[in-house]
Amino acid sequence: MSDRDYVVNNSSALSDDLPTQGLPATMWTSLLERIANRNDVMSQLGGSPQNWQIKPQRTASLSPTFRVSGPDGSVLVKWATDRVTLGRHVIALPPKRVAFEADGARFLNNAAPEFTIPLAADPSAGVLLAGSLLNGKSVQKRLTAREDMPGVLAQVAAAIARSSFLTSDLAIDLDEQRSRIAHFSGNAALTQLNTELIFDGPFIDHPTNNWNSPHLDDDVQDLLSDRTLVLALQHLKLDYLTRADCLLHNNLSLDQVYLYSVDQEQKVIINSSEFVGYGPIEFDYSCFLAGFYLNLFAQDGLGPGAFRYQTWMLNEVEIAANRLLAEFSDLWRTRRTGTAYSELTLARFDDGEEMALAEYSATRAAAMAGFIGGEIIRRIVGMAGSPEMLQIEDEAVRANCERRALRFARQVLLDRANITGTQDMVAIAEDILRSGR
């Protein structure tokens, strides 16, 4: 029986504001019956499925996400529908992507426990049970609300350093790594979508483009006519497609990172690895930093007090960069058991290990700056959007903030060969912020 033929009777459990994504509401009620057949769900929720409640959750996921609640607990459920609507663009995506998300989450969690593991995945139904999460709040929302979160960015940086290193050829032998790469190539539809939206979409008449018109029309046209910038992103696209350095979350935005209080400590959790796949080792951190800089430039449109908070943000991102390097360097010295950078070969030289680490890190800085620039452009010009920018009600004020972010993106992208690390990007951001006041 197909999804569209699947009929259920428990429509009373549906919330009135349940998003249907243009599909029949009966499809969503069928979700309830599918999970009700699982013993793990029954034991966690308790009671009768006829009395369970379904409430839609606002997430950054492509898949509609619901909290299904019973008398004993609740569970988050993602339904990987076979088509997703992005603006005017309808994209066919295989429901089996939930299997790759579940597999990827396990590998990432093994490397860094900050990455959450789903309870189970049912590829035939396109259903992912994401578990019952604590009442956390995304880093994106916390930054927009100007909350002080000392060390949180550094926690994220350390998690990315571990997930990147420990799923790379630096830590894994050749046979195992090639097996993993082959497996996750099955999630190519999501990699293709990323490629389309980041590297091509903003520069063509793509149906997902949705910039702040008419205020940014001239700025966008200026980007479209910049041959050097467009070609730079095409070079980076080739990097993204051909470098299978490590397993990536592949869509690590600020609203995928949550902060929870556990035993009076602030703990970071990274959700939703539905785009999981292999790619450049600096890509995940680049996506995270792109969101950070968008939030930084949005602060000027979010009311008084921006300068103090921006100063704090820039200090925290430098602390995070130091933590990233320290974590990666420690892993390099203690966990480099893979095929790349053989310990036996480097040991022939007294400083071989340290020189290799320094050169390896330096070559990644330029690409990181380029990916940051491309992701910022995508989020202002394309479909993904920037939640913090969209929170600025006055569109002209918002456009000024977006314009500064685009200036930053363009500069770090085109001058990436001269960027040696976060300190260079912070200096560029500070110059742009000063010039806008």
Side-chain angles (χ1 to χ4, degrees):
M1 186 175 290
S2 72
D3 283 342
R4 295 180 184 279
D5 294 330
Y6 203 91
V7 179
V8 298
N9 299 317
N10 193 23
S11 58
S12 62
L14 282 169
S15 167
D16 290 339
D17 59 346
L18 188 67
T20 61
Q21 300 266 319
L23 300 172
T26 52
M27 286 188 65
W28 306 120
T29 59
S30 75
L31 174 63
L32 192 66
E33 276 203 353
R34 293 181 182 219
I35 65 171
N37 293 329
R38 300 185 58 95
N39 291 332
D40 51 359
V41 174
M42 289 292 293
S43 62
Q44 182 156 337
L45 301 190
S48 168
Q50 282 70 32
N51 296 320
W52 291 349
Q53 294 294 311
I54 302 178
K55 292 185 178 180
Q57 304 293 299
R58 295 188 180 278
T59 71
S61 172
L62 285 175
S63 305
T65 304
F66 309 94
R67 184 180 293 278
V68 183
S69 301
D72 297 339
S74 64
V75 65
L76 290 179
V77 182
K78 292 175 68 172
W79 194 349
T81 53
D82 59 4
R83 66 188 186 195
V84 175
T85 301
L86 298 176
R88 295 174 287 125
H89 198 23
V90 179
I91 303 168
L93 292 174
K96 68 177 182 180
R97 65 187 186 271
V98 297
F100 294 110
E101 178 171 356
D103 290 345
R106 280 190 288 272
F107 280 122
L108 291 170
N109 178 269
N110 283 338
E114 291 84 354
F115 290 87
T116 57
I117 304 177
L119 293 178
D122 183 350
S124 63
V127 170
L128 184 88
L129 300 177
S132 183
L133 297 178
L134 301 171
N135 291 320
K137 187 176 179 183
S138 73
V139 169
Q140 182 272 320
K141 288 183 178 178
R142 289 177 182 270
L143 287 174
T144 303
R146 295 181 181 162
E147 296 182 17
D148 284 333
M149 301 178 291
V152 167
L153 299 184
Q155 281 190 52
V156 178
I160 294 173
R162 290 193 296 273
S163 68
S164 300
F165 188 100
L166 295 173
T167 63
S168 76
D169 287 291
L170 296 167
I172 299 174
D173 67 59
L174 183 64
D175 287 345
E176 174 63 19
Q177 188 72 326
R178 293 302 173 265
S179 174
R180 292 186 186 187
I181 291 170
H183 173 69
F184 284 104
S185 67
N187 204 29
L190 277 298
T191 298
Q192 174 60 39
L193 180 58
N194 243 5
T195 304
E196 181 180 338
L197 295 181
I198 297 173
F199 302 104
D200 294 316
F203 305 98
I204 59 177
D205 184 21
H206 198 277
T208 65
N209 287 346
N210 187 32
W211 65 84
N212 185 6
S213 182
H215 303 283
L216 286 184
D217 286 355
D218 290 343
D219 303 272
V220 171
Q221 290 306 312
D222 190 35
L223 285 174
L224 294 177
S225 63
D226 189 334
R227 181 175 61 181
T228 304
L229 183 143
V230 173
L231 289 177
L233 279 167
Q234 290 301 298
H235 296 318
L236 286 165
K237 179 172 79 169
L238 183 62
D239 257 9
Y240 177 72
L241 290 172
T242 58
R243 281 178 50 200
D245 295 346
C246 68
L247 188 64
L248 299 172
H249 179 283
N250 226 0
N251 188 33
L252 215 165
S253 57
L254 292 183
D255 46 11
Q256 301 283 17
V257 183
Y258 281 71
L259 191 61
Y260 298 92
S261 293
V262 180
D263 296 329
Q264 298 184 331
E265 288 187 36
Q266 298 291 297
K267 298 290 187 181
V268 163
I269 293 292
I270 302 172
N271 289 330
S272 188
S273 50
E274 63 187 333
F275 279 80
V276 67
Y278 273 78
I281 200 165
E282 64 275 4
F283 188 76
D284 273 350
Y285 195 53
S286 299
C287 288
F288 180 73
L289 286 184
F292 167 84
Y293 284 110
L294 279 165
N295 200 290
L296 178 81
F297 289 107
Q299 292 293 330
D300 282 324
L302 296 173
F307 176 74
R308 184 200 70 82
Y309 198 69
Q310 287 165 329
T311 302
W312 175 85
M313 288 178 71
L314 290 172
N315 182 62
E316 285 293 308
V317 81
E318 292 205 78
I319 293 172
N322 292 334
R323 178 72 181 277
L324 178 81
L325 180 58
E327 192 79 24
F328 194 90
S329 299
D330 181 64
L331 291 167
W332 181 278
R333 295 168 188 135
T334 62
R335 302 283 299 275
R336 203 179 69 255
T337 56
T339 308
Y341 290 92
S342 164
E343 184 175 357
L344 184 63
T345 303
L346 294 180
R348 294 181 60 241
F349 307 98
D350 291 340
D351 57 354
E353 184 177 83
E354 295 304 310
M355 285 188 64
L357 171 61
E359 291 181 10
Y360 183 90
S361 301
T363 58
R364 296 324 185 253
M368 182 174 73
F371 288 132
I372 289 171
E375 178 68 2
I376 289 174
I377 292 170
R378 183 270 280 257
R379 289 190 170 273
I380 292 176
V381 178
M383 167 67 192
S386 166
E388 44 278 288
M389 291 290 187
L390 293 172
Q391 194 168 315
I392 302 170
E393 295 182 1
D394 187 316
E395 291 186 353
V397 173
R398 175 180 141 200
N400 284 333
C401 296
E402 292 170 324
R403 197 168 286 118
R404 288 175 205 142
L406 286 175
R407 180 181 161 194
F408 172 82
R410 190 178 208 154
Q411 189 166 342
V412 298
L413 178 58
L414 294 181
D415 198 31
R416 64 192 186 282
N418 298 316
I419 289 178
T420 60
T422 296
Q423 72 279 3
D424 294 331
M425 288 184 281
V426 165
I428 292 169
E430 287 176 331
D431 285 345
I432 292 172
L433 289 171
R434 278 195 297 267
S435 68
R437 292 195 175 96

